[in-house]
Amino acid sequence: MRTAICILTALVLLCYSSSGQGTLKGKIVDTAAKQPLALATVTIFKAADTALITYRLSNPDGEFRVPSLPFNTECRVVISFSGYAVYRKTFTLTQAEPQLDLA
């Protein structure tokens, strides 16, 4: 039983590492006042079925970084901050382009 669990764990880790991982990053700034927006919510969904992949908050400088995103999967980022319009963008990360910078 213990061997089966170890093998299953190894297979899951192998599949996870072979699927690839990309990164989304950016900076959220009020365009009128030129001030960073701290603690804005950055949410990543699968575009096909809107299943939540992950979310992060921007830091005090308005910057965010979302690692470990899947390759070759159409995703949608939704950035929201109280009192501001919601930003939405659909994107796909690949091995050739593993990072998207929204700054």
Side-chain angles (χ1 to χ4, degrees), residues 44-99:
I44 311 294
F45 299 96
K46 285 186 180 179
D49 60 6
T50 66
L52 177 67
I53 295 174
T54 190
Y55 71 94
R56 297 285 191 277
L57 298 176
S58 62
N59 68 17
D61 296 323
E63 298 170 342
F64 65 90
R65 184 174 180 277
V66 185
S68 303
L69 296 176
F71 285 155
N72 304 315
T73 301
E74 189 174 41
C75 298
R76 182 170 295 124
V77 60
V78 177
I79 302 174
S80 59
F81 191 87
S82 182
Y84 290 82
V86 174
Y87 174 84
R88 293 176 180 86
K89 180 175 178 74
T90 302
F91 66 95
T92 302
L93 299 175
T94 63
Q95 289 182 347
E97 293 183 32
Q99 182 170 298

Side-chain angles (χ1 to χ4, degrees), residues 3 12 16-17 19-20 34 43-44 47 51 65 77 81 92:
T3 305
V12 168
Y16 181 72
S17 64
S19 66
K34 306 293 184 204
T43 309
I44 311 294
R65 184 174 180 277
V77 60
F81 191 87
T92 302

